[in-house]
């Protein structure tokens, strides 16, 4: 499936927090078999900073934006800009299956793109839209006229995406929607994207699905000192945590493990972990 991410980026600047959010979304889409397309302004020049496997489409037209959050009168040129943006979306999103937007239906600055997106939807009926809202919801005005009402209503075939459960109801009320129209997705941040890890470490994270666990315990210890370091108590404790409904990984970073005695000790602890409720690769030596 082709997944588009609709932005107004003209550069790839990590000082802008949304850039990190989009980067991790792109990495996840590539990893899980989607074909990601990043939509940016036509003057975007940071192609070399985009994750491998991502197509870049420099097709979002640029305008002198106006903040309509206070319901200012529609300024001269607005409808011409909307038409230009609409035509660009209709042309360049025609092959997209899923589209992720960021603040397009929320920010007063993006009203022109908001309206263009809604107008283009008639020619893009197969797209499923997921609208990320990155700020706290506000009270819904008593009355709104078009096009200002576009900042306070949902679109067909779409969901609102919010970052926590706390304001789900308030966000739904803001858009005159149901709570079921809102999905909670925490901002993704893969530590591999900023920790500069060795490729072997990155591969181990995937192999043992470390980032899927609720609780990860890392215990560096020499294999010749297992008894003194009371590995059995650590295993028992993590087993109790698993019994509370949490997914776990216990990583024993053990050196000096080549002698027969130490190899046998490792097998004994693996057997004991099964007694404590471990399964699969939840205990890693």
């Amino acid at each position: 499936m082709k997944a588009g991410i609709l932005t107004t980026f003209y550069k790839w600047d990590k000082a802008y927090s949304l850039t990190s959010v989009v980067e991790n979304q792109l990495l996840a889409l590539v990893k899980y078999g989607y074909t990601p397309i990043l939509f940016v302004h036509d003057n975007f020049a940071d192609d070399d900073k985009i994750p491998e496997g991502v197509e870049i489409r420099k097709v979002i037209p640029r305008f002198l934006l106006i903040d309509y959050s206070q319901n200012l009168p529609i300024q001269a040129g607005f409808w011409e800009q909307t038409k230009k943006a609409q035509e660009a979306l209709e042309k360049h999103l025609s092959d997209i299956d899923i589209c992720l937007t960021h603040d397009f239906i929320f920010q007063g600055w993006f009203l022109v793109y908001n309206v263009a997106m809604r107008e283009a939807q008639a020619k893009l009926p197969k797209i499923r839209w997921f609208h990320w809202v990155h700020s706290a919801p506000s009270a819904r005005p008593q009355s709104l006229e078009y096009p200002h009402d576009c900042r306070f209503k949902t679109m067909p075939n779409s969901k609102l995406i919010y970052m926590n459960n706390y304001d789900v109801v308030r966000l739904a009320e803001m858009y005159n929607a149901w709570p079921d129209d809102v999905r909670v997705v925490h901002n993704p941040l893969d530590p591999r994207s900023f920790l500069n890890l060795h490729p072997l470490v990155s591969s181990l994270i995937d192999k043992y699905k470390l980032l899927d666990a609720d609780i990860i315990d890392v215990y560096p210890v020499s294999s010749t000192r297992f008894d003194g370091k009371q590995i059995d108590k650590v295993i028992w404790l993590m087993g109790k945590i698993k019994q509370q409904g949490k997914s776990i990984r216990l990583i024993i970073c053990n050196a000096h493990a080549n002698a027969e005695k130490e190899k046998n000790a490792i097998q004994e602890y693996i057997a004991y972990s099964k007694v404590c409720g471990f399964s699969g690769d939840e205990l890693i030596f």
Side-chain angles (χ1 to χ4, degrees):
M1 298 182 72
K2 289 189 176 182
I5 299 185
L6 209 55
T7 78
T8 56
F9 293 171
Y10 61 93
K11 61 180 179 178
W12 197 253
D13 185 1
K14 290 295 189 68
Y16 181 36
S17 60
L18 188 53
T19 302
S20 295
V21 175
V22 172
E23 179 181 54
N24 280 272
Q25 288 179 338
L26 292 171
L27 290 169
L29 289 167
V30 170
K31 178 179 178 179
Y32 291 105
Y34 291 85
T35 301
I37 296 96
L38 177 64
F39 291 86
V40 294
H41 277 322
D42 50 14
N43 64 338
F44 187 84
D46 287 336
D47 299 41
D48 58 329
K49 298 180 181 178
I50 303 304
E52 186 177 351
V54 176
E55 178 188 343
I56 306 169
R57 295 186 185 175
K58 305 177 185 181
V59 298
I60 304 300
R62 287 173 285 136
F63 309 117
L64 179 61
L65 299 180
I66 296 171
D67 183 7
Y68 286 102
S69 61
Q70 302 302 316
N71 300 326
L72 295 176
I74 297 301
Q75 303 296 297
F78 178 89
W79 296 111
E80 290 80 4
Q81 293 173 355
T82 298
K83 183 64 175 177
K84 184 176 181 180
Q86 175 187 344
E87 292 172 349
L89 295 178
E90 290 175 352
K91 178 179 179 181
H92 298 289
L93 271 73
S94 60
D95 60 336
I96 299 298
D97 301 294
I98 299 169
C99 190
L100 285 59
T101 75
H102 290 278
D103 277 342
F104 265 46
I105 67 170
F106 185 88
Q107 287 282 359
W109 293 100
F110 293 157
L111 183 61
V112 64
Y113 299 110
N114 185 344
V115 176
M117 177 176 59
R118 295 170 188 273
E119 294 296 324
Q121 188 179 38
K123 292 189 178 180
L124 304 168
K126 75 170 185 175
I127 295 180
R128 293 191 66 196
W129 300 83
F130 297 92
H131 301 296
W132 259 255
V133 175
H134 291 283
S135 301
S138 57
R140 181 178 179 80
Q142 293 296 316
S143 62
L144 283 168
E145 295 182 358
Y146 184 78
H148 293 290
D149 63 334
C150 292
R151 293 195 303 111
F152 294 92
K153 64 182 180 182
T154 59
M155 286 170 49
N157 205 26
S158 70
K159 294 290 184 184
L160 299 168
I161 309 299
Y162 199 59
M163 296 166 290
N164 59 63
N165 289 284
Y166 183 79
D167 276 332
V168 166
V169 173
R170 286 184 60 210
L171 186 69
E173 291 174 342
M174 175 180 174
Y175 284 92
N176 196 29
W178 295 99
D180 189 55
D181 294 318
V182 182
R183 293 289 185 270
V184 173
V185 179
H186 306 295
N187 278 343
L189 189 59
D190 189 327
R192 288 170 291 185
S193 67
F194 63 90
L195 286 181
N196 194 29
L197 299 176
H198 188 279
L200 174 61
V201 178
S202 294
S203 67
L204 291 175
I205 289 173
D206 277 334
K207 179 179 179 180
Y208 294 107
K209 300 180 180 179
L210 299 185
L211 299 182
D212 292 350
D214 297 316
I215 307 293
I216 302 175
D217 187 358
V218 181
Y219 193 3
V221 60
S222 170
S223 301
T224 61
R225 301 194 64 198
F226 277 160
D227 292 339
K229 296 299 183 180
Q230 303 182 70
I231 299 296
D232 56 329
K233 291 185 178 179
V234 179
I235 294 173
W236 176 86
L237 178 61
M238 291 296 286
K240 292 298 182 183
I241 292 174
K242 181 180 178 180
Q243 289 178 17
Q244 303 303 310
K246 301 296 184 181
S247 56
I248 61 169
R249 298 291 186 278
L250 173 55
I251 305 168
I252 308 294
C253 303
N254 55 310
H256 312 110
N258 294 326
E260 197 66 28
K261 177 183 177 182
E262 282 68 43
K263 290 181 179 179
N264 290 335
I266 290 171
Q267 294 306 313
E268 290 175 2
Y269 283 121
I270 290 175
Y272 177 63
S273 74
K274 306 302 182 185
V275 175
C276 294
F278 282 62
S279 61
D281 289 326
E282 292 175 338
L283 175 60
I284 305 160
F285 278 95

